[in-house]
Amino acid sequence: MKVLVTGGMGYIGSHTCLALLDAGFQPVIFDNLSNASKAVLTQINKISGVTPAFVEGDIRNTALVRQTLEHYGCEAVIHFAALKAVGESTVEPLNYYDNNVSGTLSLLQAMDSAGVRRIVFSSSATVYGEPDYIPIDEHHPLRATNPYGWSKVMVEQVLADLCQADSRWQATALRYFNPVGAHESGELGENPLGTPNNLMPYVAQVAVGKRSLLSVFGNDYPTADGTGVRDYIHVMDLASGHVMALKARLEGYFACNLGTGQGYSVTQLIETFRQVSGKAIPCEFVERRPGDVPCSYANSELAQQVLGWQAHKDLTAMVTDVWHWQLNYPMGI
Ligand code: NAD
Ligand code: UD1
């Protein structure tokens, strides 16, 4: 079965393409390369022996998306394409709503006219805003604290309304917690352009000597060691969640968390990185980052019940694979 993968050249999309190939699906990548390098195709080929079809284009180009769906005979879409920098979204909200919300509307219109009405959507734990309780389950109210988060809430609503209005549609929204890690081959991983916004790629760049010092944002949170706690999830576990969502053949709209259910603090992550890499990781405690929550982790029982999915890889595996990738490609690809 052919699957259109929007944003398939990006971090999570490229790893999901490998999982799709492994499971016998044929990914067709559609990406405008706004946050990815074409070299990703070479890396996918190195690992799998297959170079997926690739169309360079923007999801806001409805005609091109439709043409691509029809040309390749795609039967479903996995939709990763989005802008994702929280801070930037507060400065450029129009850009975020245009790319993430209008972009998705354009994609859905193209799908509708091509008669392709199955979609798996990249949502995020950000749709829970500041959590009322943890572990967070899917009954938790939806809200956001920034335009990026709202764009995810809005798209989820659009998908739910679409499935409600037309029973030919099936949409699954997967709410990722904190994706980290790399492919175990060390040939594919996160390739951030510029200064990383997120903890794991920052720690990796300090360990490899590309950056001198890690700032730990706050050590006075009400957590065991005072630093923020998150549910880090290996990107290949996340990738398998998408394959299982495609295989599940659900009806209507379905949304679920993808997390491990286990929280780790910033200090625990750094310590694991020190042990795995054998490197010193110089760090300093600084002020809390505005908008950060003390603690967030998932209840992932619904994904287990409905998709038969669960995460298998622990923090050591996540760090080991990131380190392998970082050592192989210290300057990225
Ligand atoms: P990424 O930036 O690595 O990948 C996104 C890809 O989409 C890039 O290759 C980019 O070039 C492409 N793209 C962006 N806008 C496009 C457009 N208009 N048309 C075509 N292509 C476009 O990001 P990622 O980390 O792989 O995230 C993938 C998805 O998962 C996003 O929707 C993101 O919001 C969501 N998500 C990510 C995280 C995370 O921490 N990485 C967490 C929760 C949810
Ligand atoms: C980020 C996004 C969130 C997204 C989530 C999933 C922001 C503000 N939020 O969340 O929308 O859903 O990723 O991937 O980007 N930290 C440091 N030093 C650093 C970087 C981070 O101490 O240099 C700390 C943070 O304070 C936090 C933890 O590390 O406690 C994880 O941070 P990060 O990797 O940015 O993820 P989130 O903030 O959870």
Side-chain angles (χ1 to χ4, degrees), residues 84-87 123-127 146 148-149 176-180 196-203 214-218 221 227-232 264-266 269-270 284 286 288-294 296:
K84 62 164 185 177
V86 172
S123 191
S124 166
T126 195
V127 299
N146 54 70
Y148 166 72
Y176 317 152
F177 276 65
N178 287 59
V180 296
N197 291 314
N198 301 112
L199 181 64
M200 185 70 99
Y202 207 107
V203 173
L214 170 75
S215 297
V216 176
F217 301 142
Y221 283 112
T227 64
V229 168
R230 296 291 184 275
D231 186 338
Y232 298 98
Y264 289 100
S265 73
V266 176
L269 188 147
I270 296 169
E284 59 170 353
V286 300
R288 294 178 179 193
R289 182 171 63 179
D292 273 357
V293 300
S296 163

Side-chain angles (χ1 to χ4, degrees), residues 121-148:
F121 170 62
S122 293
S123 191
S124 166
T126 195
V127 299
Y128 298 119
E130 188 157 337
D132 294 338
Y133 57 86
I134 39 179
I136 306 173
D137 61 23
E138 292 79 359
H139 298 297
H140 190 286
L142 301 190
R143 56 185 172 229
T145 55
N146 54 70
Y148 166 72

Side-chain angles (χ1 to χ4, degrees), residues 20-293:
L20 287 168
L21 288 167
D22 223 28
F25 292 92
Q26 289 168 269
V28 175
I29 298 177
F30 189 96
D31 197 303
N32 67 1
L33 298 179
S34 60
N35 195 35
S37 150
K38 224 174 160 181
V40 163
L41 284 180
T42 313
Q43 301 308 107
I44 292 178
N45 181 283
K46 245 188 193 175
I47 298 167
S48 67
V50 178
T51 305
F54 168 56
V55 174
E56 184 174 345
D58 194 296
I59 51 169
R60 289 164 291 187
N61 184 342
T62 317
L64 182 60
V65 178
R66 177 185 177 166
Q67 194 189 319
T68 306
L69 286 166
E70 288 173 344
H71 175 75
Y72 288 98
C74 297
E75 293 177 52
V77 173
I78 307 184
H79 177 32
F80 294 101
L83 299 177
K84 62 164 185 177
V86 172
E88 188 180 66
S89 80
T90 64
V91 182
E92 305 170 14
L94 284 184
N95 211 9
Y96 272 68
Y97 289 123
D98 184 38
N99 201 89
N100 296 4
V101 182
S102 302
T104 303
L105 293 178
S106 160
L107 170 69
L108 294 170
Q109 277 154 354
M111 289 174 66
D112 203 41
S113 52
V116 180
R117 298 187 180 88
R118 285 184 69 200
I119 183 167
V120 178
F121 170 62
S122 293
S123 191
S124 166
T126 195
V127 299
Y128 298 119
E130 188 157 337
D132 294 338
Y133 57 86
I134 39 179
I136 306 173
D137 61 23
E138 292 79 359
H139 298 297
H140 190 286
L142 301 190
R143 56 185 172 229
T145 55
N146 54 70
Y148 166 72
W150 281 117
S151 77
K152 295 293 178 190
V153 176
M154 288 176 191
V155 169
E156 283 205 16
Q157 186 66 47
V158 169
L159 294 175
D161 290 344
L162 192 53
C163 293
Q164 181 70 35
D166 183 343
S167 62
R168 292 174 301 173
W169 276 92
Q170 196 282 312
T172 299
L174 300 176
R175 297 174 182 157
Y176 317 152
F177 276 65
N178 287 59
V180 296
H183 190 262
E184 45 273 23
S185 62
E187 294 296 335
L188 194 63
E190 193 169 5
N191 202 25
L193 306 172
T195 309
N197 291 314
N198 301 112
L199 181 64
M200 185 70 99
Y202 207 107
V203 173
Q205 293 192 2
V206 173
V208 85
K210 201 171 159 185
R211 297 186 189 275
S212 55
L213 184 67
L214 170 75
S215 297
V216 176
F217 301 142
N219 63 345
D220 56 352
Y221 283 112
T223 59
D225 62 26
T227 64
V229 168
R230 296 291 184 275
D231 186 338
Y232 298 98
I233 173 167
H234 196 292
V235 67
M236 292 311 295
D237 274 333
L238 208 59
S240 83
H242 294 76
V243 172
M244 297 185 92
L246 276 186
K247 285 184 171 170
R249 298 237 155 239
L250 304 174
E251 288 188 359
Y253 178 67
F254 173 66
C256 72
N257 294 337
L258 292 185
T260 65
Q262 171 99 38
Y264 289 100
S265 73
V266 176
T267 305
Q268 283 174 307
L269 188 147
I270 296 169
E271 198 40 53
T272 307
F273 217 111
R274 279 195 185 117
Q275 282 166 13
V276 166
S277 65
K279 298 285 179 190
I281 299 174
C283 49
E284 59 170 353
F285 293 115
V286 300
E287 289 294 293
R288 294 178 179 193
R289 182 171 63 179
D292 273 357
V293 300

